[in-house]
Amino acid sequence: MPGYQVKFETHLLGTSHFEIRSLLDRQQYADPDGAAQAAGISSASWPLFGMVWPSARMLADAMQTYDIAGKRILEIGCGLALASLVIHRRQGDITASDCHPLTEAFLQENLRLNALPHLKYQTGHWGRENPALGRFDLIIASDVLYERDQPGTLSQFIHQHSADPVNIIVLDPDRGNRNGFCRKMDALGYTLDMQRAGATQSTGEAYKGHFLKFSRS
């Protein structure tokens, strides 16, 4: 695609595998139409959507066995949407969302690479109104607390799109904004069950982080 370079990798999750097109590295940047700038995405954060991060692999692995029956599910800040692809292959009712203008194009290509049918996608801006998005029974995310203002905007976004009852799973690699996010969620009436994630990724590499599991009933 014009303006940046990509790579193709096979990601193994247990006995499953996914072919994923991602950005070649974190030095890629191309926003000729100013779409990313209009969405509030800086040049430094522009390529972040296009990488498969350790937390994304860990969340996707967890979604292989999570009970998704009868649930309307939303992945927020999905990036390359590996967890959404896992749920979609399991025939779950999943909607992927992100604010990056290229996320949907990468999603469509990765669906094609894995011979998967259409997957629902909606643009999701945490700091803006998203009237077309609706409410969900299960909301999932990975590594979404990397900026100081995100606890406030993310908690409000989740609250606006949560059904009642709802379950929320945020996998956080022990970033410094976690406590602030948990306080915001508590103030909105959500109960936290924090669990340590496994110490090893599907690649065999070490991992350190926690599942933040919130509920409201």
Side-chain angles (χ1 to χ4, degrees), residues 48-69:
L48 300 184
F49 88 97
M51 317 295 292
V52 178
W53 297 95
S55 295
R57 281 194 292 267
M58 295 292 285
L59 179 63
D61 199 26
M63 289 300 108
Q64 291 197 105
T65 56
Y66 192 85
D67 181 11
I68 59 172

Side-chain angles (χ1 to χ4, degrees), residues 22 26 33 41 48 88-91 103 111 120 126 140 167 193 208 210:
S22 61
R26 292 178 61 179
D33 300 324
I41 302 170
L48 300 184
H88 191 48
R89 184 177 281 178
R90 294 181 62 199
Q91 300 184 331
T103 299
L111 287 168
K120 290 180 287 187
W126 300 346
I140 63 172
N167 289 290
D193 175 20
K208 183 180 179 183
H210 286 80

Side-chain angles (χ1 to χ4, degrees), residues 112-123:
R112 187 192 68 80
L113 289 171
N114 292 281
L116 291 169
H118 173 73
L119 188 159
K120 290 180 287 187
Y121 178 83
Q122 287 280 347
T123 299

